[in-house]
Amino acid sequence: MRITSTKRLLASLLAVSMACGALASCGGKTESSSETSSKESSTASTSSTTTEEKNDTPLVVGYARFSEKFSPFFASTAYDQDVASMTSISLLGTDRVGAVVEKGIEGETRSYNGTDYLYTGIADLTIDQKTDTTVYTFKIRDDIKFSDGEPLTIDDVIFSMYVYADPSFYGGASFGSMPIVGLKNYQTQTSDEVYEKYGEIFDQVWVAGEGNTVDGVDQAIADQLWEIVTREWTADIQGIVDYVYSNYASAYAESVVGKTAEEVGKSEGLKIALGMSLWGFGEVADGVLTGAVTGTTFDLTSEDTMPTIEDYYNEVYAAYGDVDSYDAAGESASGAIVRDNARAAFISEVGSQDESMGGNGVPNIAGIKKLSDTEVSVTLEGFDATAIYNLGVTVAPLHYYGDESLYDYDNNKFGFEFGDMSLIESKTTQPMGAGPYKFDRYENNVVYFEANENYFKGEPKIQNIQFKETDDKDKIAAVGTGTVDISDPSGSVDAFKEICSYNSNGELEGNVIVTNRVDNLGYGYIAMSAANVKVGDDIGSDASKALRKAFATVFSVYRDVVIDSYYGDVATVINYPISNTSWAAPQKTDEGYEVAFSTDADGNDLYTADMSEEDKYAAALEGAISWFKAAGYTFDEASGKFTAAPEGASLSYEIIIPADGTGDHPSFAILTYAKAALETIGIELVINDPADSNVLWNTLDAGEAQMWVAAWGATPDPDMYQIYHSNNILGAGGTDDNKYNIVDDKLDKLIMDGRSSADQTFRKSIYKQALDIVLDWAVEIPVYQRQKCVIFSPERVNMDTVTPDITTYWGWMNDIELLEMN
């Protein structure tokens, strides 16, 4: 039996699509919102709040489910990121239009909607663009304290930067991908020449195969290479064991291995047996595990006779014979590509010992320089338009997340062991920083915060805040009946009717509920993994693209009617995978603008202006048939159905949609219509609507999802690197946020070209080409651009103290230290 494995998403996936908008501290969550969230006040006041002004009535905010990854480094869902943002502070912030505030120490006054606002922060930024490099110099205030009273220093900034830059860092931040001088050398512990040399050695030995010699390559080095491959492959298999135990022991332990989940947890042998069984590499009967390929048996009644991880490896090796076949099959629980991991490890471990390196590796990042107790500079190669957003990192306390005994800047020690995130990870559920609030605890689905008396803008007036997990369908009633003070319900037609029903005036703003709506910096989409929805082994072949376009064509045709029915006038259908709030978004009046997936396999337009909706649905189905045929599917003309799929493809695919198990999602009806239409031509679409949305995020993290529905939160800058560059596919050593597994050299080049200029006209043309490539791969079907809404209880929240002029980029949590209860 093989279970569809499940893990977690968004690292910087962010906005859960069924929510009307994450309760973000600034508009536009990035893949790691902690790096761009703005805590900078729109007022000039930084004085402490007096005891008389404090309010002991807790503010209760209704939230979606948390994943309890509250670290500023590793928080991935929008809601976890908001917890981190409450307790943290960033070097830079943004204003109400998403522009970076570069002079935070004295503050910058900027006008919005006819009102001047002062934006302050903890640092100033100076940019010096030279011929071949750009130098970013940060100067921080010398009076900032973390919530435990310890001072925030430039060493904390440097420690945080080195965490983001470490090769083992797997959070959503883009800092580690920036063209910082010396960053790649540090991450690989090699010079440019050595990196290229050992990369070539790996590729040559790999092609030759294990046991074969390569001219010019020392056999001892080749042997080391294959030892590393075995190690990485075994480590990946161990990941399967750990993953299966964590996610499935409680449900399957007794039925599979005859022991309780607690008993399995105490035995590594039983864990391995469970992992082998549920991953299809063994079967248990009468207390004996039998290997599915080798037939080797293991007695599960004694630890001494139970399988080891080496036994599991042997079974996998017998099944696949080589790593390439294993990688192609997508067996990894983490979605990792073992070959890529082994290559990176080989270059770093063996290359760093090359004679030319002197046996010392690369001790630091040449482009990061401590200039004084309050200043640090970061030098980038050339110019990067996204740098100003990515360099303003969240500043985490070295003394809490790191080890002060391991920090000595002058001797190239940066607060933790190179390549080891375990120390930082150990604090993931207990965040601490210099933000307006202190994390108290997460208990019974509620996150509790206490005011930070050391906050640099003054102690918040509300002493206690609670983020309470609340089902989306219950958020409006929770605010209306007084159990929650602020929340973010899905802004559907029915939701707005419900809000109006609570107010005596029958409006969205009334005596019981006040509604705030702004354009959401993000969009809803339907997605497919190129690695899991393909023909044969080539994810980028015309046939694989045709398969995905077949489904995309059917999904797309139902967008208009479904989104209008669900959202009314608070959402519009979009045709490119980018938020319409972005200056880079293609507009209908732009040359080359097209409706997404509106042609057949021969390039003919499917729709005409005078078509009825029913005619469009029929045309879309015919278009899909042409794409399935182009993909190599066998079509029976007599029955009008497909009867066989080409190698590597299927007649049945699963799509996961996080709709609370009730179908409450803006795109749910799209799937039900598509399912019915596809069924008429012999294609099955299995809709998985789990009650717990973490099933989706977990499955995506595992690299197991075929299709899914979610929403992206964007950033003020439209950079596409984190989500679409091939460096960030699962297991490639990047951010792992390219869940689509799109690997396209031309796309990669366009993404990097888009970073190389500050000219918006040039960048918009580059991004249009890049977006067209994404659509050609058919891994993402753009669905809707909506407004996000936050609802307040004016009976309990003093609306006069809510930050004014909330925008896409400036949310209610800004100026939270000034917020008061009635």
Side-chain angles (χ1 to χ4, degrees):
M1 176 175 62
R2 173 75 184 277
I3 290 182
T4 299
S5 79
T6 55
K7 259 187 154 182
R8 161 197 59 80
L9 168 68
L10 300 178
S12 325
L13 260 122
L14 317 190
V16 176
S17 58
M18 66 186 127
C20 194
L23 301 179
S25 56
C26 81
K29 293 277 194 181
T30 65
E31 301 312 306
S32 176
S33 66
S34 57
E35 284 205 79
T36 58
S37 67
S38 171
K39 290 293 182 184
E40 285 58 49
S41 174
S42 59
T43 70
S45 173
T46 58
S47 60
S48 298
T49 307
T50 64
T51 302
E52 289 72 25
E53 293 174 310
K54 296 179 183 178
N55 192 314
D56 291 330
T57 302
L59 173 72
V60 181
V61 186
Y63 262 79
R65 289 184 177 90
F66 299 106
S67 299
E68 206 173 355
K69 296 187 177 181
F70 303 140
S71 166
F73 297 112
F74 302 117
S76 55
T77 68
Y79 305 102
D80 283 1
Q81 289 168 350
D82 280 353
V83 173
S85 294
M86 287 281 282
T87 64
S88 305
I89 198 163
S90 300
L91 280 176
L92 302 175
T94 56
D95 63 14
R96 284 171 170 78
V97 296
V100 172
V101 177
E102 298 180 24
K103 303 299 177 185
I105 294 178
E106 292 298 326
E108 295 185 40
T109 299
R110 298 178 181 178
S111 180
Y112 179 81
N113 200 23
T115 301
D116 288 339
Y117 292 103
L118 177 66
Y119 299 90
T120 61
I122 69 167
D124 287 347
L125 171 63
T126 302
I127 304 174
D128 182 12
Q129 189 169 350
K130 303 178 184 296
T131 303
D132 299 319
T133 60
T134 306
V135 181
Y136 296 79
T137 301
F138 296 91
K139 179 180 177 63
I140 63 171
R141 288 174 49 158
D142 61 4
D143 61 345
I144 306 296
K145 294 182 179 180
F146 292 109
S147 60
D148 63 354
E150 291 294 316
L152 185 156
T153 71
I154 208 68
D155 290 323
D156 296 296
V157 176
I158 293 172
F159 159 72
S160 299
M161 288 182 172
Y162 269 85
V163 172
Y164 289 118
D166 194 83
S168 66
F169 178 76
Y170 57 87
S174 294
F175 186 91
S177 68
M178 300 298 294
I180 299 171
V181 173
L183 175 58
K184 185 182 75 171
N185 306 116
Y186 175 76
Q187 290 174 330
T188 62
Q189 289 296 291
T190 61
S191 64
D192 291 341
E193 295 76 16
V194 169
Y195 182 87
E196 293 179 7
K197 172 184 175 181
Y198 282 83
E200 290 177 1
I201 290 174
F202 183 94
D203 295 340
Q204 291 171 354
V205 175
W206 187 270
V207 171
E210 188 172 5
N212 297 315
T213 59
V214 177
D215 291 342
V217 176
D218 187 287
Q219 189 58 42
I221 289 180
D223 290 342
Q224 284 182 277
L225 185 154
W226 293 113
E227 288 173 4
I228 290 173
V229 170
T230 299
R231 184 193 72 199
E232 293 297 323
W233 198 353
T234 303
D236 192 82
I237 294 168
Q238 181 64 54
I240 294 175
V241 171
D242 296 339
Y243 171 74
V244 169
Y245 171 72
S246 297
N247 289 274
Y248 299 118
S250 59
Y252 293 100
E254 290 195 52
S255 61
V256 173
V257 297
K259 300 290 183 181
T260 66
E262 184 177 0
E263 290 173 317
V264 171
K266 297 176 180 178
S267 167
E268 190 62 28
L270 289 175
K271 284 184 183 179
I272 293 169
L274 183 66
M276 290 177 67
S277 297
L278 294 188
W279 227 248
F281 289 99
E283 185 173 347
V284 178
D286 299 323
V288 175
L289 171 71
T290 302
V293 181
T294 67
T296 305
T297 58
F298 304 93
D299 184 353
L300 302 184
T301 61
S302 171
E303 195 72 35
D304 293 336
T305 56
M306 291 182 188
T308 65
I309 196 63
E310 288 75 20
D311 293 319
Y312 194 167
Y313 168 82
N314 292 335
E315 201 68 34
V316 173
Y317 188 87
Y320 289 105
D322 58 66
V323 169
D324 282 337
S325 299
Y326 176 82
D327 283 339
E331 291 289 356
S332 173
S334 66
I337 307 300
V338 174
R339 178 193 181 278
D340 293 341
N341 289 349
R343 189 178 193 273
F346 173 75
I347 293 172
S348 179
E349 295 174 25
V350 182
S352 61
Q353 301 304 311
D354 190 87
E355 290 182 1
S356 65
M357 298 301 301
N360 297 318
V362 179
N364 57 47
I365 301 170
I368 298 179
K369 298 289 187 183
K370 179 179 179 180
L371 305 179
S372 71
D373 290 340
T374 58
E375 292 179 290
V376 64
S377 67
V378 183
T379 302
L380 270 64
E381 298 171 351
F383 174 80
D384 191 307
T386 69
I388 194 170
Y389 292 99
N390 294 326
L391 295 179
V393 300
T394 296
V395 183
L398 160 64
H399 69 274
Y400 181 74
Y401 285 99
D403 183 342
E404 289 180 287
S405 69
L406 296 177
Y407 187 89
D408 184 344
Y409 176 83
D410 292 332
N411 289 298
N412 299 310
K413 300 171 67 177
F414 303 106
F416 62 101
E417 296 290 349
F418 175 84
D420 184 1
M421 289 285 106
S422 59
L423 187 60
I424 295 95
E425 289 174 322
S426 67
K427 304 296 176 62
T428 295
T429 62
Q430 301 285 322
M432 198 268 279
Y437 281 84
K438 296 183 290 186
F439 177 87
D440 178 22
R441 67 191 187 279
Y442 173 58
E443 183 178 271
N444 297 325
N445 303 320
V446 178
V447 179
Y448 294 86
F449 300 96
E450 296 176 355
N452 175 14
E453 64 272 20
N454 294 307
Y455 187 48
F456 80 104
K457 292 182 182 179
E459 183 176 0
K461 295 185 177 182
I462 298 177
Q463 289 297 292
N464 298 286
I465 291 182
Q466 300 172 13
F467 285 1
K468 181 178 181 180
E469 291 184 6
T470 307
D471 287 342
D472 189 69
K473 66 181 184 300
D474 299 326
K475 288 178 177 177
I476 295 171
V479 174
T481 58
T483 59
V484 164
D485 304 316
I486 300 174
S487 196
D488 62 338
S490 178
S492 66
V493 171
D494 290 340
F496 290 137
K497 288 180 180 178
E498 184 180 358
I499 291 172
C500 293
S501 72
Y502 280 99
N503 290 326
S504 60
N505 61 3
E507 303 290 337
L508 290 175
E509 287 197 31
N511 58 315
V512 177
I513 297 176
V514 170
T515 306
N516 177 273
R517 296 192 297 175
V518 297
D519 287 336
N520 184 52
L521 187 60
Y523 62 93
Y525 66 92
I526 297 171
M528 287 177 265
S529 167
N532 298 327
V533 183
K534 67 183 188 299
V535 175
D537 292 329
D538 187 352
I539 62 174
S541 68
D542 289 341
S544 290
K545 291 178 180 178
L547 168 56
R548 296 189 290 269
K549 287 175 182 176
F551 283 103
T553 300
V554 177
F555 290 140
S556 297
V557 74
Y558 296 108
R559 294 176 303 166
D560 288 322
V561 65
V562 171
I563 296 308
D564 181 67
S565 174
Y566 190 93
Y567 278 122
D569 63 356
V570 298
T572 56
V573 169
I574 59 174
N575 288 300
Y576 290 87
I578 186 173
S579 172
N580 272 352
T581 61
S582 173
W583 51 262
Q587 302 300 315
K588 291 182 179 180
T589 55
D590 292 346
E591 182 179 355
Y593 183 95
E594 294 181 355
V595 174
F597 306 108
S598 59
T599 62
D600 64 17
D602 294 322
N604 302 311
D605 290 334
L606 291 173
Y607 314 119
T608 61
D610 59 351
M611 272 187 173
S612 67
E613 290 299 318
E614 292 301 323
D615 288 340
K616 287 182 179 179
Y617 302 153
L621 195 59
E622 286 301 314
I625 290 173
S626 74
W627 285 115
F628 277 121
K629 288 180 177 179
Y633 278 68
T634 302
F635 188 68
D636 178 45
E637 298 290 347
S639 65
K641 293 186 177 184
F642 289 99
T643 57
E647 183 181 356
S650 174
L651 291 171
S652 177
Y653 286 92
E654 179 191 64
I655 187 165
I656 306 176
I657 181 168
D660 290 342
T662 64
D664 186 12
H665 189 288
S667 292
F668 191 83
I670 293 176
L671 305 191
T672 57
Y673 285 135
K675 176 182 174 68
L678 290 166
E679 189 174 292
T680 66
I681 60 172
I683 303 296
E684 180 184 37
L685 182 69
V686 179
I687 302 173
N688 181 358
D689 175 15
D692 183 354
S693 62
N694 281 318
V695 169
L696 168 59
W697 316 141
N698 292 341
T699 306
L700 281 163
D701 263 0
E704 293 290 322
Q706 295 177 323
M707 305 179 185
W708 67 94
V709 181
W712 281 116
T715 62
D717 187 271
D719 178 46
M720 299 172 66
Y721 178 83
Q722 193 161 329
I723 309 302
Y724 302 105
H725 198 283
S726 62
N727 284 351
N728 298 319
I729 64 171
L730 288 166
T735 66
D736 286 352
D737 287 326
N738 182 350
K739 306 296 185 184
Y740 311 114
N741 282 284
I742 181 171
V743 180
D744 190 293
D745 291 340
K746 184 178 179 181
L747 176 61
D748 287 349
K749 184 179 185 303
L750 287 168
I751 289 172
M752 301 314 293
D753 288 347
R755 285 181 155 193
S756 67
S757 173
D759 185 334
Q760 284 194 356
T761 301
F762 169 77
R763 296 184 75 201
K764 182 172 181 176
S765 68
I766 289 293
Y767 288 135
K768 171 60 165 60
Q769 297 176 59
L771 293 169
D772 284 341
I773 291 176
V774 173
L775 291 174
D776 181 55
W777 273 71
V779 291
E780 183 176 350
I781 300 95
V783 178
Y784 61 86
Q785 167 75 57
R786 61 170 172 77
Q787 291 184 322
K788 65 177 180 179
C789 63
V790 177
I791 58 175
F792 302 83
S793 166
E795 296 175 328
R796 296 179 298 283
V797 177
N798 183 344
M799 296 303 296
D800 291 335
T801 64
V802 175
T803 189
D805 281 330
I806 292 175
T807 72
T808 298
Y809 304 94
W810 187 265
W812 73 272
M813 283 172 60
N814 290 97
D815 299 334
I816 196 169
E817 74 280 359
L818 304 177
L819 190 64
E820 298 180 25
M821 303 294 289
N822 287 325

